[in-house]
Amino acid sequence: MQDAFSSPEYQTRHPSPYDPPRPPPYSSPSPHHTSPSHLTYPWQPQPQPPEPARRRQPRHHALGRHSDIRVLRGAYRRQRRVATLTALGYFTLFLLLSAFAPGLMTSEVSGGLPTGLLLGLLQVPVTCLAIGLYEYTARRSVDPIADRIRRQTQLDAKREATR
């Protein structure tokens, strides 16, 4: 005895998801038939992409992980801190003396020149000293590291171009 769900008409209209797919009755293989570039059914075996050709690993690490970059960052950080703390440290000292030692700041040094005015005028030479210190440390410690990294990068770029 057949029920309505086991009839062949129902089976062709409502295939079970567990049954393997059947080719449509109207398709006939032809020798000139070109297959589509994508797969029709997800359970068909996927073509494996060709394995990429292995490249030789460079002798040097990428620049982001390079130890010279870390050394350069550290040297530049120290340079900024020394120069900034020189200028701001003197200015902070001047402000603290103005706030907490008004007697010292109003005392006269010579010829009616108050100490506070003298210390305020010394801010300009101290700032120039901080700029000079910045340039000196740049030439002595930061620039040689940056030049070495620049030369290494140019060599790496030439090596890549010849491959």
Side-chain angles (χ1 to χ4, degrees):
M1 178 161 177
Q2 281 189 339
D3 60 348
F5 298 112
S6 62
S7 69
E9 295 85 24
Y10 181 83
Q11 292 292 327
T12 56
R13 279 184 275 150
H14 304 285
S16 167
Y18 303 107
D19 292 338
R22 297 180 201 157
Y26 53 83
S27 71
S28 62
S30 74
H32 303 291
H33 181 272
T34 58
S35 65
S37 61
H38 58 85
L39 296 174
T40 308
Y41 302 107
W43 52 82
Q44 287 179 331
Q46 300 287 327
Q48 296 298 325
E51 189 172 315
R54 291 190 175 205
R55 289 183 42 193
R56 239 178 44 199
Q57 292 295 327
R59 252 180 38 190
H60 304 286
H61 296 292
L63 276 179
R65 295 177 49 212
H66 204 276
S67 64
D68 282 344
I69 294 289
R70 287 193 303 262
V71 171
L72 179 65
R73 284 184 196 135
Y76 185 59
R77 190 178 307 121
R78 281 188 301 277
Q79 175 193 21
R80 285 188 323 236
R81 285 179 184 163
V82 168
T84 302
L85 290 177
T86 302
L88 287 181
Y90 182 81
F91 185 68
T92 304
L93 176 70
F94 175 74
L95 289 178
L96 289 173
L97 287 175
S98 297
F100 298 110
L104 174 70
M105 298 298 271
T106 56
S107 65
E108 293 183 5
V109 177
S110 66
L113 182 65
T115 308
L117 182 59
L118 180 64
L119 290 176
L121 290 174
L122 282 176
Q123 181 68 40
V124 174
V126 168
T127 304
C128 291
L129 175 74
I131 292 170
L133 185 65
Y134 186 86
E135 289 179 358
Y136 173 75
T137 57
R139 272 188 246 112
R140 189 185 59 139
S141 63
V142 177
D143 289 347
I145 300 169
D147 289 338
R148 185 171 60 228
I149 292 171
R150 187 177 300 113
R151 282 192 306 271
Q152 186 63 44
T153 305
Q154 290 170 348
L155 284 173
D156 288 345
K158 286 180 183 176
R159 283 187 201 127
E160 280 295 317
T162 58
R163 286 185 190 175

